[in-house]
Amino acid sequence: MYSDKESLKEKLEKPDFDEDHIQSNFILSEDKDIYDTSSVSSEDSGNVGVLDDIPSPTESEKLQKRKMASEEKDADMSKEEEEGPAKDFFYELEEYQSISKSSDESGIPSNLLQFYHSFGYDCCKRANLHLLKGPTLVFAAGNLVNILNLSTGEHRFLRSCGGGGIGAIAVHPSGKYFVVAEKGTKPHILIYEFPSLKLYRILRDGTEQAYSFVDFSPKGDLLASVGSYPDYMLTVWAWEKEKIMLRSKAFSQEVYRVTFSPEMEGQLTSCGTTHIRFWKMAFTFTGLKLKGELGRFGKTSLSDIDGYIQLPDGKVLSGSDWGNMLLWDGGLIKVEICRKNQKPCHHGSIQQLVIDEGELITIGLDGYVRVWEMEAIDSADTTDESDHFEIEPMNELKVGNDVQLTCMVKAQPEDDPSMEEGASIWFAQDSNGGIWKLDLSFSHTTKPPEKLYSFTAGSITGLASSPSSHLMAATGDSYVRIYDYLTKELVCQYHSPNVQSKGSSLLWPNKVVDPKGTSIIAGFSDGIMRLLCLRNVDDTNELSLVQALKPHSSTITAMSFDNSGEILATGSTDKTVFFFAVDQGGYEPIGFVKIPGEVTCMQWSPPGFPDNTLLVSCSNGKVVEITAPSLSSVDTTHTYKLSDIPMRYFAFQSIKSRLRRDEERLRKEKEKAKRRKDRERELKRKRDRGEEISDEDAAAFLDEDPEAAEEEEEEPLYFPPEPNPILQAFYVTPGRFVLSMGDYDAGYLYECVFPDDSSSDEDATNEPIKAIPVQESSDVPITTIRFSSDRHKVFVGFQNGQIRVYPIEADPEATFDLDMLGSNWNLNMHDNQHGRVTNIEESHDGSYVFSCGGDGNLFGFYSLAHEEIVKSMEGKRASLPSPHKRSADDRLIDDIDDPHAYSIEDAKLKAEHDKMMRDAEAKKLTERKRINKLRKSFLELLHKNSELPSHAQLKREEFELDPSIRMKMLSQTQDRIERVRLEMQWDKEKLALAHRKIEGRFRSQLECDRIVVHAFNSSHTVASYRVAKLPDEYYSLKQTVEQRVRAASLASEGFATVEGMGTSLPSERGNETDDADDASFLNEAKRKAKKTILHGRQAEKVAKAIKKAEEAKLKHEKRQNEWKELFKSKPDKKYEDPADVAAIKEAQANMGDFKLKTSSDYVVPEHLRMDTEKKRYQILILQGLIHRAKSDFNNKLIHIRDAKFELISEMRNYSQEMKAIQSRMSKEDRLRLPHIPHPHPEEEPHKKFEFTRQTLLNFEEEEKEREIAEAKKKRKGDGGLFGGFGDEPPPETLQVKDLKHSSRKSASSIASSVRSKAMKGLPRSESSGPTVLEQQIAQIENIRLRHQRDRLLRSINEKMTSFDAELRLLRHDKTKLDVDLKMADLRHVTLLEELLLLKEYEKRETTLSGRVTGKRNELAEINGRAAEMQVRLESKKRDIERLVDREKALYASFTSSLGDNNKFADFLNKVFKKKIKRAKKKIVQEGEEEDSDMSSSDESDWSSEEDEDDSVEGGFDDSVCPPGCDQQLFDSTLVLRERRLDLEEALAEEKKLAETLKKDVDALGKKAKVMESQLKNALDDLEAFQVEKQGKLNELDVVVPLRFHQVEHVYNATIPPDLSSCLVFANSSLTALQRRIKELQQEKSEQRKFYKEARQQHVHLIKSGRLMEERIQQLEEKCEQAMMLKFGRIVDLDKLNSVTVNKNVEELKEQVRLNEVKNARQLLKLQHHIDDLRDRITGLTRDNTNRLERLNVLMNDNNSLEVELDHRQKHMELEERGKKKSEIREQHRLVQLVQLQAQEIQALKEEIGLLSRKGGHILPPAQPPLGQDPDVM
C-alpha cells in the first residue's frame, strides 16, 4: 500500500486510469489471495507505475465475478438493514460491554480491581425505578444497571457499553424486554431480554451526548427517546428493525420525559424546563413527519413540568412547580386544578401522574400520594369567578416525614404471585434515599408504607473503613450508615436530629486513637462534629452518640488525626481549622486558626518528618502549612483563637498555559524534524536516479519548509482571573507537596515547595517547580488521591466518575516522586456527568476497595483476583470490634439539634461576654448600694431638718448645691423615657398586633365563654356552654343546601303540575286562541271607530246600524260562551274528581298503620327519600338547633349572673345601712355584719382579658413580691415565722334562726340591765344618770334599730335563698338540656354516619335520578307535543265544519237563485256540479317566477283540453250560455261553481292535514306509552335502589336510651338479656294506632252511607237528563216552525246577524268621492302649469332662432375677414417697409375683434346646448371652427 495517502489520492484522480479497475482493486485488496495493491512498494513502482499494469483476462473475469459477488452481498446487507435483524438474533454481550483499560504494554492485569457489589442508589435521578417480573426492580447505578429480585434479594448487574453512564431505563409493555439508554459520545440504546439478560438489539446514532428518557409505545412496536444537551433530539424508533422512523429537535432546553399516548395512536407528549409539547406523527406529501405543538401557558406562570398523563380523550393533565395540576386542551391550559380554598394539590412539584382503575393518582415532593376522581377532573372547567377548578382528593396517603416521591411503579399479580387478591401494591422512589412499598387499596386492611431499602440521598461526601473489621461507614445526608461489606448488609445507622444537618465528612479513628475501633467521627454541614460509638444493645447493633461539639459555623469538609493520635484537626468552609486534644472520654478543644480560604482537604505530615505539621489546601488556590499547637502553651481563657502558631503559605500560580505552549513547540519541532527527514529521503532518491543536484540546491531544498511558514503565531499566555480550587494535596518531602487542581489548571499534577519567606506574605503567588501531565484525562480534574496501605498502589478518582490505579513498583519506603506515576489501570464506574468520585477507601486488610461519588453510588471492589478472595474469605462474616453493651448507668448524651447553635468559639466568646456583663452588674450593684447609703443619709438630714424649729430650718432649695444639676437630670430622665418609648414603640405595636391576632383567633370566634355561676349558701354551681360562633361557611352552606332542596322540590312539583295540566291543555289553548281572536276583533273595531270619515246623518245612520249589529253579536257570543262553559264543565266518562283522588291518596298514605322501615315490602315515600343534600341540610339544622339551645341557656345563665351582681350591689347597700344602724346601738347589742360575697372570677371570665396600665403595673409588683417571697422561702426554708399571718377569714353568714335567737337574747339582756340599773339608781340622786323617760326612749329607739337591722338581715337572707333556689332550678334545666344535647350529639353522629353511607351511594343515585328525570322530561315533551297536535287537530276539525257549512250555504244560495219552474234548472245543475281540473295554486318565490308561469300555463292548457273533452263527452258545452237562458244567471252559476270548487279543494286539503295530524297524535301516543314504560322501569330501578339504600341505612346503629319501666318486652316476668329482636316503639304511637282502628271503623260506616246516597242521586240525575233532552227537542222544533213562518225556510241565525250595514263600504265610498274632488282640482292646476311652460318654450325657441341668425352673420363676417387676411399676407413682404404704425394698430384691433367673436361664438354654442337639453331639439348648424392665421397672431 502507499505510505502517503495524499499521493495515492492524486494518482487515483488522474484521467488515464480505469475507474472500474481501480474500484475493483480496492475492493479486492481486502482479500489476500487475489490481488492486493499493497504487494507493490512505492519505491519499485515510481510515481505512476503501480496501477499501470492491467491484469490478465482471466484475472479480469475473476475480478468481475468478485465484484458481482460483492454487489450481491451489499444488496443482501441493505435488504437486511431494511427488514432488520432476525427475531431470534442476539448480540454477544461480551463484545459490547465496557471493560477496564490499561496502559499499552504495561502488563497490568485487567482484574486489578474487580467489581463485586453496589451499596448505593442514584435516588435523585428521574424515573430511576422500574419493575420486571419476579418481582424484580431495575435501576441505574453509575455505569451499572442493578437488577434486584425482591423475593430472593439477589443482585445482578449489567455494565454499560460506552462507559459514560446510564441515561434512562424503560420496560417493554410485555415485560419481556427492557431498554437501557446510555451516556457518552454517540451513545447507544441497548435492549435486553429478560430474564436471560441477552443483548437483543442495539440502536445507534440517536443523540450526541446522552439520553434523558425512553418510552415504549402501548403496543410495544415503537420506542421514543429524547437526548440531552446539546441536541435534545427526539427520535422514534422501529426498535426491532433497529431503524429510525422519525426524529426532530424536542426543545432548546432540558427535556425530562417523552411518552406515547395510551389511547390515541401516533401522539406523543414531552415535557421539561418551562415547557410541555404535544407531538403527532402525521402523513404529509413528503412522507411521515413528526409535528410538535408547544403548550402555551397564557396567563399562568411558566413552570417546569416534571409529570403529566395523557387522558383518553386527547387532553393532557400535567403538574406544576407550585403543586397544582394543569389541564391542557388543544395546546392551551383549559383549567388549573387545586384543592378547596385555593390550596395546592401538593406542596411542591408534582412528579408523576398515573391513571389506575379509573382513578387518578398523583405523587409529589411533599411525600403524599393522593387519589382524585378522574371523571370530575376530565370534565373540569373554569367559572366566571375564578380560572381555578377546586376539588378534594378521594383518598390520600402520607408515606412518611422527609419523604420526596419522584417515581412509582405498580406490581401486577402476574409479576408477583405472592400478591393478595385485590391488593394494589406499588413501589416508589424516594429522592431522600429510599425505596418504599406502598399499599394503595385504601381499605380497612391496607398495610402501612414499608421502607424496603435505605440509601444515601444525593452525593456521598464521607466514606471511611474500619481499621479492625470488615465494616465501612458512609454519609452524605442526615444519616451515617454502617455496612458489613462481606454480607452486603446495612448494620445500623445514626440519624441527625436536624434534617437540614447533612453529613459532610467521616473519619474512622485508627487503632492508635481507638484500639477497639468502635468510634466514628462525623462532620456535618451545620459545623457540628459528632463522636459516634458502635454498640450492641439487646443483640441489636446501634450507632449511638457519645459527644457533640460545634467547632465551626458552616460545613466541615475535612478531618484528620496526627501520627501520634493526640490531635484531631477539622477544617471547614468558614475558613478555620480547629484542633482537638484526644481524651479517653472524648475530645477537648484546643483552639483554632484562621486560614485564607475554604478548606478542601488536609493531611498531617507523614512519620519521619522533623516537625508535626498540617498541610491545608483551600478552594482559592492557597496552601497553608500549620505547625501543630503545643498543648502546654495554649491559653484559651478568653478565646479559642490561637495566635502564636507558626504557619507557611503557598499561593498557586497557573502555569498550564505555558506548559501547553511548550508542548505545542515541542510537537512542532518534531514535525519539522520529520519533514526534514522526508526531504532528505527525497533528495537521496533523486540522486539515486541519477539526477545531478548541486550542494547549494540540495541545501536550499532541505531548508525549504513551506508548512513552517504557514504556521500560526503563538497565542499569548492565559492566566485565570480567579484562582482555581485545590482538590487534593499531599506531602512528598518536608516542605514539598503535590497538588491536584480543578477547572482550568486540571490535567496536570503539580509539585510545589513552600518559599523561604512564605510565613510573612500569604498573598504572594508561587509557581510549581514540577508538573507532569495526567495521561488520557482530557483535562478532567482529579478529585481524590488515595495511597494503598502498602503504598504499592495509588488510587485516583476523577470528576467524570472514572477510577484509575497507578501501580508503584518502587520501594514503598523510598521517597515518592511524580515520575513513578506511569502505567495505569482505568475503569469507568460512576456517572460521567454528576458522579464525581468524592472518596476512595481501602479495607483494613487491603482486600477491598470502595469508591463513592456525587451520584449517590457506593461501589465495592476486590483488590485481588476473585477466586483468591472467595477462597480466603469463605464463611467469614464481619464482626463488631469488641462491642460493649450499654448499661442503665450510661449517661445519655445531649445532641445538638439546633442548626443555629453556638460554635465552640462563639460559646467561649459568649461566656466571656456574659462574665463581663456579670462583673459590670456587680459593679453597678456596688455603686447602687453606695448611692442608696448616701440617699439614706440625705433623708436623715432632711428629717433632722424638719424637726428643727421653723426659723432654724433650711429650705429645700438650700440643699441643692447646683439647681442646674437637678434640672439636667430631670431633662435627661425625660429624654431617656422618650427614647425608651420610641424604642419600644415597635415592640408595643408588634405585641398589640399579636394580642389582637391571638384574641381574634381564640376569643372572637367565641360567642360565649364558659361562665360558672356559684350559689350563695351552697356549693351548687351552674356553668354555661362554651359556644363558638357559627362560621360564615355554615350560613353559606346552609343557604346553598336550602336552595338546592328548594329547587329539587320545585322541580318535582313542576313536573306534577305539567302532568296534571296535560289533559286540560287543548281546551285551554283553544280558549286562549278564541280570547285572542276576540281581543283582536275588539281592537280592530276600536281602531276603526277612531278613524272614521263619515259625517252628518249618514254617519249617525251607520253608527246606529253598527251598534245594533254589535249588540246582537255580543249577545250571541255571550250565549256561545255560556254554552262552551257548560260543555267544558261536562266531565268525561273516565273523569275522576281530583278531590276524590286526593282523598284516596291521603287515605292510602295515612291509613293509620305504622310502616316499619325494616320491612321487606317497605316503600320509601317520595318525600322521605334521603340524599346527601337533604342529609347535609339535616345536619345543618341539627347544628343550628344545638347552637340555639346552648345560646338560649347561656342567655338565661347570663341573666341570672347579672341578677346576682345586682343582688350583691343591693346587699352591699344593706350592709352599709346596717353599719350605720349598729353605729347608733350599744356595743353589747351589735351583731357581726353579714359577709357580702364577691363575684367569683369564674363568673366574669372576660375580665381576665381586660387590663389597664395600672393592672399591668400591679401585676408586675405582684410578680416581684412573689419572686422575693419565693427567694426568702428558699433561704429560710418552708414554714417561716410569718406563715400564720394572713387575711382573716370572712365572718360566717347569719341565718334567720340565729338572728331570732340573738334578738331575743339581746332584748332580755337589755331589759334585765335596765331593771338592775333602775334598782341601783333609786337611792342615788337624779343628776347621777338618765331619767326613766330617757331610758324608755332609748329602749324604744334601740328596739326600732334592732327591728330595722333584723329586717335588712332577713331581706339579705331571703334574696340569697331565692337566688339559690332559682339557680337550683336552672341547674335542673341544664341537666335536662345536657341529656338533650347528648342525644343531639348522638343524633349528629348518626347523621354523619348516614351521610358517609349516602356518599357511597351518591354516584349511583345521581345516575338513576338523572335517568328518571330524563325520562320524565322526555315524557313531558311528548305529552306537550301531543297536546299541541291535539289542539291543532281540533282546530282543523272546526275549520272543516266551517267549510262544510259554507258549502251547504253555497248550495242553498244556488238553489234559491234558480227560482221555481226554471226550465234550464237541469242544465245549470250540471254546469254547477261539473268537476273540472284546475291549475293548482302555488306560492311563487323569487327566482321561480318564470318556471311557475310556464308550469301554470301548461297545466291550464291541459285543464282546458280536459274540459273540452269532458264537454264533448257530456253532450253539452258549459262555456256557452244556451239560448233562452238568462246570461246573468248563467254567469252567476259559473261563479258559484268556482266558489264550490274552491271550497272542495280547501276541504280536501284540510281533511288531508287533519288526517296527518291524527297520525302524528297516534304516533306520539304510542311513543308516550313506550316512554311511560321506560319511566316505570326507571322508577322501579330507583325504587329498588332506595330500598337497598334504606336497608344499608337500617344497618346503622342508633342510640336510644331507655329506662327499665319503658321496657315492656318480658319473658317469664323478666327482661330478656338480648333485646336485639325487640322493637322500640312509643306508647303514644301505639295508642294512636289503637285509636285509629276505631276511627277507621266509624269512617267505613260513614262511607257506606255516603255511597248509598250518591247512588240514589245518580239515578235521579239520569232521569232529569232524559227530561232535559225531551225539552230541548221540543224547543228545536218550535224554533224551526217559527223560522218557516217568518222566512219561509230554515236560516242560519249567525249569517242573518252578519247581514247589516257595512261601515267599511260606506267609508270607502265617501273616500272615493273625496278623492275624485281632490284629483279634479289638482288636474286643473296642472293644466294651467302646462300652458305656462308651453308659452315659455315658444319664447325660448324664438330667442334661439335670433341667436342662430346672428351667429350666421358673424361667421360670414369671419370668413370674409379671413379671406382678406390671407390676401394681405401674400403681399406682406412688399408692403412691409411701407407699413405705418396705424396699420399695425389696426391689425391688432382686428385680431382682438376676432378673438372676441370667437368667445361669443363659444358662448352661443353653450347656450344652444343648454336649450337643446331642456327638451327641445334645436341644434346650432354644424360649422367648422374658425382657423387662426399664424401671421396674424
Side-chain angles (χ1 to χ4, degrees), residues 1716-1755:
E1716 287 177 354
V1717 174
K1718 184 179 179 182
N1719 291 335
R1721 293 174 182 173
Q1722 192 173 2
L1723 283 173
L1724 183 59
K1725 188 185 293 184
L1726 292 174
Q1727 187 64 37
H1728 290 312
H1729 185 62
I1730 290 171
D1731 295 340
D1732 295 338
L1733 292 176
R1734 284 177 180 174
D1735 296 339
R1736 186 181 177 189
I1737 289 174
T1738 303
L1740 291 173
T1741 304
R1742 290 174 182 172
D1743 190 14
N1744 187 28
T1745 303
N1746 295 330
R1747 290 179 181 272
L1748 288 174
E1749 292 176 353
R1750 185 182 177 188
L1751 177 64
N1752 190 18
V1753 172
L1754 290 174
M1755 291 186 72

Side-chain angles (χ1 to χ4, degrees), residues 541-561:
N541 299 319
E542 71 171 18
L543 195 61
S544 57
L545 180 67
V546 176
Q547 188 178 10
L549 301 170
K550 189 172 182 180
H552 302 280
S553 58
S554 59
T555 305
I556 298 177
T557 56
M559 297 185 294
S560 180
F561 283 102

Side-chain angles (χ1 to χ4, degrees), residues 1335-1462:
Q1335 292 178 0
Q1336 291 178 352
I1337 292 171
Q1339 186 176 1
I1340 292 170
E1341 180 66 20
N1342 198 8
I1343 292 172
R1344 185 180 65 81
L1345 292 175
R1346 284 201 305 273
H1347 173 71
Q1348 291 179 0
R1349 182 192 63 190
D1350 296 342
R1351 178 178 58 81
L1352 292 175
L1353 287 174
R1354 282 195 300 272
S1355 177
I1356 291 174
N1357 286 321
E1358 287 174 0
K1359 290 181 180 294
M1360 295 172 67
T1361 304
S1362 176
F1363 175 81
D1364 290 349
E1366 189 176 357
L1367 187 66
R1368 195 175 299 111
L1369 291 176
L1370 188 62
R1371 186 166 175 264
H1372 294 323
D1373 293 342
K1374 191 194 177 189
T1375 304
K1376 295 179 181 178
L1377 183 59
D1378 286 340
V1379 175
D1380 294 339
L1381 291 177
K1382 184 59 67 177
M1383 292 299 299
D1385 292 338
L1386 295 175
R1387 177 61 179 162
H1388 192 208
V1389 173
T1390 304
L1391 291 177
L1392 288 176
E1393 292 178 351
E1394 292 176 352
L1395 178 62
L1396 294 176
L1397 184 61
L1398 289 173
K1399 281 186 177 180
E1400 297 179 2
Y1401 286 89
E1402 183 177 11
K1403 193 172 181 181
R1404 285 179 57 195
E1405 184 174 12
T1406 303
T1407 304
L1408 293 175
S1409 300
R1411 182 182 168 195
V1412 170
T1413 304
K1415 297 300 180 184
R1416 281 179 173 172
N1417 293 335
E1418 292 178 7
L1419 182 59
E1421 183 181 357
I1422 292 173
N1423 288 334
R1425 289 170 57 192
E1428 185 179 356
M1429 292 291 183
Q1430 190 67 32
V1431 170
R1432 293 173 60 187
L1433 182 60
E1434 294 295 333
S1435 177
K1436 291 298 177 185
K1437 288 182 179 179
R1438 288 195 295 271
D1439 294 340
I1440 291 172
E1441 292 176 359
R1442 283 196 295 269
L1443 291 173
V1444 171
D1445 293 341
R1446 289 176 60 187
E1447 188 178 10
K1448 290 179 181 179
L1450 183 64
Y1451 274 98
S1453 176
F1454 171 71
T1455 304
S1456 62
S1457 65
L1458 292 177
D1460 297 333
N1461 300 322
N1462 192 336

Side-chain angles (χ1 to χ4, degrees), residues 571-620:
S572 170
T573 56
D574 62 356
K575 301 181 181 180
T576 60
V577 175
F578 214 106
F579 298 95
F580 294 88
V582 180
D583 194 4
Q584 292 182 354
Y587 296 87
E588 294 294 332
I590 299 175
F592 72 94
V593 294
K594 288 278 188 179
I595 58 174
E598 298 179 356
V599 178
T600 57
C601 65
M602 297 188 305
Q603 186 195 20
W604 286 96
S605 56
F609 275 44
D611 297 325
N612 191 13
T613 57
L614 179 67
L615 186 67
V616 182
S617 58
C618 303
S619 61
N620 58 354

Side-chain angles (χ1 to χ4, degrees), residues 67-338:
K67 182 177 180 181
M68 294 174 61
S70 177
E71 291 177 354
E72 291 178 359
K73 184 178 180 181
D74 293 340
D76 294 339
M77 291 179 64
S78 62
K79 183 178 180 181
E80 183 179 352
E81 288 179 357
E82 291 181 0
E83 297 180 355
K87 290 189 176 181
D88 57 350
F89 174 77
F90 290 92
Y91 290 95
E92 292 295 333
L93 181 59
E94 292 77 8
E95 296 179 2
Y96 291 91
Q97 276 188 340
S98 62
I99 58 175
S100 61
K101 298 179 181 179
S102 303
S103 300
D104 296 337
E105 300 179 358
S106 63
I108 301 176
S110 59
N111 60 347
L112 179 64
L113 291 182
Q114 187 175 355
F115 170 78
Y116 85 101
H117 192 66
S118 171
F119 296 90
Y121 172 47
D122 192 355
C123 56
C124 298
K125 186 183 184 67
R126 284 189 177 86
N128 194 22
L129 187 66
H130 303 273
L131 189 65
L132 294 168
K133 295 180 181 180
T136 302
L137 294 179
V138 181
F139 51 88
N143 268 271
L144 301 178
V145 177
N146 195 339
I147 304 172
L148 171 60
N149 191 310
L150 296 176
S151 301
T152 62
E154 178 189 2
H155 288 264
R156 289 193 291 175
F157 300 92
L158 286 174
R159 279 196 59 82
S160 66
C161 291
I166 307 297
I169 298 175
V171 178
H172 193 269
S174 65
K176 187 178 179 182
Y177 306 99
F178 66 93
V179 59
V180 178
E182 298 189 345
K183 296 181 181 181
T185 304
K186 294 288 183 181
H188 297 336
I189 297 179
L190 310 174
I191 293 95
Y192 294 90
E193 186 188 45
F194 184 80
S196 64
L197 301 185
K198 294 181 180 180
L199 183 56
Y200 186 55
R201 292 291 183 266
I202 300 177
L203 308 181
R204 301 172 176 85
D205 299 330
T207 188
E208 293 292 332
Q209 294 295 334
Y211 290 98
S212 60
F213 200 86
V214 288
D215 180 59
F216 281 101
S217 63
K219 294 182 180 179
D221 56 340
L222 299 178
L223 177 70
S225 67
V226 63
S228 61
Y229 178 84
D231 55 346
Y232 305 110
M233 187 62 65
L234 171 62
T235 309
V236 180
W237 307 79
W239 63 274
E240 288 186 320
K241 298 179 181 180
E242 297 183 354
K243 180 182 178 182
I244 295 177
M245 288 184 60
L246 298 168
R247 65 189 311 169
S248 174
K249 185 170 183 177
F251 199 61
S252 59
Q253 298 185 50
E254 186 177 359
V255 182
Y256 297 156
R257 64 174 62 215
V258 59
T259 57
F260 286 91
S261 174
E263 301 291 339
M264 308 186 73
E265 188 175 358
Q267 293 191 10
L268 301 92
T269 305
S270 64
C271 70
T273 303
T274 66
H275 82 281
I276 185 171
R277 201 162 192 175
F278 312 103
W279 302 86
K280 288 184 180 179
M281 293 188 291
F283 283 95
T284 63
F285 65 92
T286 57
L288 188 63
K289 299 293 182 182
L290 191 61
K291 298 181 179 180
E293 180 184 5
L294 194 64
R296 288 163 286 180
F297 284 86
K299 296 186 295 183
T300 308
S301 301
L302 292 177
S303 170
D304 295 344
I305 306 296
D306 290 285
Y308 63 85
I309 185 70
Q310 296 110 317
L311 304 184
D313 57 356
K315 294 194 287 291
V316 175
L317 185 67
S318 72
S320 62
D321 285 340
W322 53 89
N324 284 347
M325 290 184 283
L326 307 177
L327 184 60
W328 299 83
D329 190 4
L332 298 173
I333 296 178
K334 180 181 179 183
V335 66
E336 182 174 348
I337 300 172
C338 62

Side-chain angles (χ1 to χ4, degrees), residues 97-115 143 159 162-164 773-778 780-782 784 793-807 821-830 837 840 851 861:
Q97 276 188 340
S98 62
I99 58 175
S100 61
K101 298 179 181 179
S102 303
S103 300
D104 296 337
E105 300 179 358
S106 63
I108 301 176
S110 59
N111 60 347
L112 179 64
L113 291 182
Q114 187 175 355
F115 170 78
N143 268 271
R159 279 196 59 82
V774 181
Q775 301 297 329
E776 299 179 359
S777 66
S778 301
V780 176
I782 295 176
T784 182
K793 292 186 287 292
V794 178
F795 301 102
V796 176
F798 289 85
Q799 191 167 352
N800 61 355
Q802 184 183 15
I803 299 174
R804 177 174 293 185
V805 182
Y806 288 97
L821 302 179
S823 301
N824 55 76
W825 178 91
N826 299 277
L827 180 65
N828 291 325
M829 284 302 298
H830 296 271
V837 181
I840 298 177
S851 69
F861 305 88

